[in-house]
């Protein structure tokens, strides 16, 4: 059903059955209203921000008129039995949804906007006198409060987490702006919270300190595991605690089975067992949960290019069968180590050859395994791109981010160190070290957006990074963690 209102005449018209001549209609105050069928109500995404009024109305027509005569109202619902009338600001398609109601006679109404109602936007105020949708600001016709002009109509400003392009797209009365990540929210979301390390740029070896943190991993209980390159240890921080527990390595660097020497990255499995890339010892160590020492599962302990050796490992992941995938950085390859094997199998790149072809890598780093789709993502740092291979298939990879030369534009990367892929959206998060930022690339995107950090600007403030080397998300993907190597800290940021 479609209803047409004219406020000046105070009449209610069923548009399909009654016609009003154009001279009787005030175009500035006419509204077209769509209705749902019975048994539904409006569910706003933010009740506090969108709710305008609840009252009792004698009929659907009167409730409709209440919305029509309230400038900010765009959506309402009315229950015929209880006569409950609720009116909301916010366009139906962006600020809420129609859901089933426990009130069988409840109906949702929404005002339909037409571009002709906004023809006077930007013109002299003489053209918008008496308009429902425009008001006079600084001698020109502008959108009403909490709305913005999208080039055609004045739409309702967006709420927390909604996609945006310009600052005016977002609810300014709630202090939301269009963040660098192209989402509406308060600017404070760009500030990180220090969850490990002193947070003042100082290195240390106490349990609440870090020294050159690199790789990160998330435990099944949301504990944060941190590889410390400078302290030659792995620390675990329980959720909410900044006091860590050493779970791998000893008090000093070394070559013993209970020691590590500048560990770079790690992987933690579902049983809380730890796989650690022990960089200067040229090996990967397996530390069973609670063990005081580890077992070598990859490498010989000496630098090498043969398939039984590794040379600087800066990426590691493990599949559900226990196969270990290693980014052998200086050998420009990724190898797969079957449990118990003494040699690896090349699955990406060419042995010892740096290159930029689809079957080549250049100083590969962080790895991410999507076992459901048999995808392995590789931070191909030397080529400034993220590569994806299909395991069990060709070694030719697909570029899914970057690959447009070294640079700071939203189509480029600069020495990307690690990659994490959202399990819910498939979006790719990248620690773009050389640009001092973390970028997010949607599935199939040809450019990314800066989620945190400031493009090309290094620093130690909560909004900046000195050297972002690794990025992960927590289990429910509400927080993003970044290791800030030279600031000796791990920062967390809220995702929206």
């Amino acid at each position: 059903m479609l209803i047409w209102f004219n406020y000046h005449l105070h009449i209610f018209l069923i548009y399909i059955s009654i016609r009003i001549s154009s001279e009787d209609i005030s175009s500035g105050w006419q509204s077209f209203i769509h209705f749902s069928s019975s048994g539904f109500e409006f569910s706003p995404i933010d009740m506090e921000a969108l709710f305008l009024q609840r009252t009792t109305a004698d009929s659907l027509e009167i409730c409709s008129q209440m919305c029509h005569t309230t400038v900010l109202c765009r959506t309402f619902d009315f229950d015929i039995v209880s006569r409950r009338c609720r009116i909301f600001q916010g366009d139906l398609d962006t600020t809420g949804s129609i859901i089933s109601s426990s009130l069988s006679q409840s109906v949702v109404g929404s005002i339909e906007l037409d571009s002709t109602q906004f023809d006077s936007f930007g013109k002299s105020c003489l053209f918008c006198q008496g308009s429902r949708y425009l008001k006079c600001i600084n001698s020109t016709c502008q959108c009403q409060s909490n709305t913005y002009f999208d080039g055609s109509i004045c739409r309702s400003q967006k709420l927390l987490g909604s996609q945006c392009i310009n600052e005016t797209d977002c609810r300014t009365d709630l202090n939301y702006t269009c963040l660098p990540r192209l989402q509406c929210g308060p600017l404070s979301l760009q500030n990180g919270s220090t969850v490990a390390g002193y947070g003042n740029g100082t290195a240390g070896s106490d349990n609440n300190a870090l020294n050159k943190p690199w790789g990160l991993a998330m435990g099944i209980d949301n504990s944060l595991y941190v590889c410390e390159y400078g302290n030659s240890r792995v620390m675990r921080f329980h959720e909410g605690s900044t006091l860590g527990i050493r779970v791998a390595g000893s008090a000093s660097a070394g070559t013993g089975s209970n020691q590590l020497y500048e560990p770079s990255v790690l992987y933690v499995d579902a049983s809380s067992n730890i796989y650690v890339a022990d960089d200067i010892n040229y090996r990967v160590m397996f530390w069973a949960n609670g063990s005081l020492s580890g077992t070598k599962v990859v490498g010989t302990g000496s630098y090498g290019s043969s398939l039984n050796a590794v040379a600087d490992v800066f990426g590691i992941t493990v599949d559900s069968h226990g196969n270990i995938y290693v980014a052998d950085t200086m050998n420009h390859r990724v190898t797969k180590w079957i449990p118990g094997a003494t040699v690896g199998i090349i699955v990406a790149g060419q042995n010892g050859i740096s290159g930029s072809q689809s079957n080549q890598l250049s100083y590969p780093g962080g790895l991410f395994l999507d076992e459901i789709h048999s995808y392995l993502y590789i931070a191909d740092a030397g080529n400034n791109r993220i590569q994806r291979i299909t395991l069990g298939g060709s070694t030719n990879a697909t570029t899914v981010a970057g690959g447009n030369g070294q640079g700071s534009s939203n189509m480029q990367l600069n020495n990307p160190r690690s990659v994490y892929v959202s399990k819910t959206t498939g979006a790719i998060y990248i620690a773009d070290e050389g640009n001092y930022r973390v970028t997010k690339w949607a599935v199939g995107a040809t450019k990314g957006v800066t989620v945190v950090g400031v493009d090309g600007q290094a620093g130690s403030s909560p909004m900046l990074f000195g050297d972002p080397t690794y990025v992960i998300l927590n289990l429910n993907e509400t927080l993003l963690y970044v290791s800030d190597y030279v600031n000796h800290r791990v920062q967390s940021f809220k995702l929206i």
Side-chain angles (χ1 to χ4, degrees):
M1 180 167 57
L2 187 64
I3 291 178
W4 189 3
F5 281 114
N6 180 285
Y7 174 65
H8 292 293
L9 298 178
H10 296 284
I11 57 175
F12 171 81
L13 303 174
I14 300 177
Y15 180 60
I16 59 174
S17 61
I18 299 177
R19 293 183 179 181
I20 301 296
S21 61
S22 59
E23 60 267 21
D24 291 330
I25 297 296
S26 170
S27 61
W29 272 90
Q30 70 182 27
S31 296
F32 297 92
I33 299 180
H34 289 282
F35 290 95
S36 72
S37 54
S38 297
F40 294 92
E41 63 183 58
F42 179 60
S43 176
I45 59 176
D46 186 334
M47 177 66 80
E48 183 177 356
L50 296 172
F51 180 74
L52 290 174
Q53 182 182 1
R54 173 175 173 160
T55 187
T56 299
D58 290 335
S59 65
L60 175 61
E61 293 88 343
I62 293 176
C63 184
S64 302
Q65 284 180 326
M66 288 180 179
C67 178
H68 170 70
T69 56
T70 303
V71 169
L72 292 181
C73 181
R74 296 285 178 89
T75 307
F76 63 94
D77 57 23
F78 176 74
D79 176 49
I80 296 173
V81 177
S82 67
R83 298 186 298 164
R84 183 194 73 177
C85 175
R86 301 187 304 170
I87 62 176
F88 303 87
Q89 57 181 309
D91 300 326
L92 179 61
D93 59 343
T94 59
T95 59
S97 58
I98 296 176
I99 63 171
S100 296
S101 174
S102 60
L103 305 173
S104 62
Q105 297 300 308
S106 177
V107 174
V108 178
S110 60
I111 291 180
E112 176 188 336
L113 303 180
D114 185 271
S115 60
T116 59
Q117 296 163 330
F118 304 93
D119 286 343
S120 299
F121 180 85
K123 295 181 180 179
S124 166
C125 290
L126 294 174
F127 290 90
C128 55
Q129 291 180 358
S131 171
R132 181 188 193 277
Y133 302 101
L134 298 171
K135 66 179 180 179
C136 183
I137 301 177
N138 296 328
S139 302
T140 60
C141 298
Q142 300 293 322
C143 293
Q144 295 282 1
S145 301
N146 297 349
T147 63
Y148 73 99
F149 191 64
D150 70 352
S152 177
I153 63 176
C154 290
R155 291 194 173 276
S156 296
Q157 286 183 322
K158 300 176 181 181
L159 297 172
L160 183 67
S162 298
Q163 292 186 341
C164 57
I165 299 175
N166 301 306
E167 180 180 346
T168 55
D169 296 1
C170 306
R171 280 284 293 269
T172 52
D173 65 312
L174 300 177
N175 293 320
Y176 292 165
T177 187
C178 190
L179 300 172
R181 60 184 83 175
L182 300 184
Q183 288 180 296
C184 293
L187 191 59
S188 60
L189 285 177
Q190 298 303 112
N191 291 328
S193 299
T194 299
V195 294
Y198 291 141
N200 60 3
T202 303
S205 59
D206 296 333
N207 286 348
N208 63 338
L210 295 175
N211 187 348
K212 298 179 180 178
W214 194 288
L216 304 175
M218 188 62 57
I220 58 172
D221 60 350
N222 264 330
S223 290
L224 177 68
Y225 291 76
V226 184
C227 253
E228 283 190 81
Y229 207 75
N231 282 326
S232 295
R233 66 185 183 183
V234 175
M235 299 293 285
R236 182 181 69 201
F237 295 84
H238 288 294
E239 186 176 17
S241 174
T242 57
L243 190 65
I245 303 169
R246 188 175 70 231
V247 291
S250 65
S252 61
T255 60
S257 62
N258 68 331
Q259 293 177 303
L260 299 169
Y261 195 168
E262 297 186 354
S264 54
V265 291
L266 77 163
Y267 178 86
V268 178
D269 68 18
S271 299
S272 300
N273 302 312
I274 305 169
Y275 298 78
V276 189
D278 191 9
D279 187 40
I280 303 303
N281 285 323
Y282 307 109
R283 64 188 182 183
V284 172
M285 298 291 284
F286 172 80
W287 291 64
N289 183 13
S291 177
L292 298 178
S293 62
T295 303
K296 179 168 61 67
V297 290
V298 169
T300 62
S302 299
Y303 186 101
S305 60
S306 62
L307 289 178
N308 68 337
V310 292
D312 288 335
V313 173
F314 282 93
I316 186 172
T317 189
V318 182
D319 67 21
S320 59
H321 302 290
N323 297 308
I324 305 168
Y325 298 86
V326 172
D328 191 356
T329 304
M330 299 304 292
N331 284 321
H332 312 292
R333 67 190 183 190
V334 175
T335 53
K336 172 184 175 182
W337 296 68
I338 297 170
T342 57
V343 295
I345 303 166
I346 295 176
V347 296
Q350 295 177 337
N351 191 25
I353 301 174
S354 172
S356 59
Q357 300 300 312
S358 62
N359 65 339
Q360 295 177 313
L361 299 170
S362 180
Y363 303 102
L367 302 177
F368 184 90
L369 177 63
D370 175 1
E371 198 164 0
I372 294 176
H373 299 99
S374 296
Y375 289 153
L376 181 66
Y377 293 81
I378 306 165
D380 190 10
N383 286 318
N384 303 295
R385 65 187 182 183
I386 303 299
Q387 297 291 86
R388 186 187 71 200
I389 65 167
T390 301
L391 294 173
S394 169
T395 57
N396 289 318
T398 300
T399 300
V400 292
N404 297 302
Q406 185 182 70
S408 60
S409 77
N410 58 10
M411 298 177 64
Q412 294 176 302
L413 299 171
N414 185 353
N415 197 30
R417 285 294 191 171
S418 74
V419 56
Y420 188 97
V421 181
S422 167
K423 297 176 177 65
T424 56
T425 67
I428 302 169
Y429 293 84
I430 304 165
D432 191 9
E433 182 189 38
N435 286 320
Y436 307 104
R437 66 188 182 187
V438 172
T439 60
K440 174 185 174 183
W441 296 61
V443 176
T446 57
K447 58 185 178 181
V449 296
T450 298
V451 181
V452 290
V454 177
D455 297 351
Q457 185 175 342
S460 58
S461 74
M463 188 180 289
L464 300 176
F465 299 115
D467 190 3
T469 54
Y470 215 87
V471 59
I472 61 171
L473 305 186
N474 66 344
L475 297 182
N476 62 3
E477 301 194 345
T478 58
L479 294 173
L480 178 146
Y481 294 88
V482 184
S483 56
D484 192 1
Y485 184 80
V486 301
N487 284 322
H488 311 292
R489 65 186 181 183
V490 176
Q491 299 284 88
S492 74
F493 299 84
K494 184 178 179 181
L495 295 178
I496 51 177

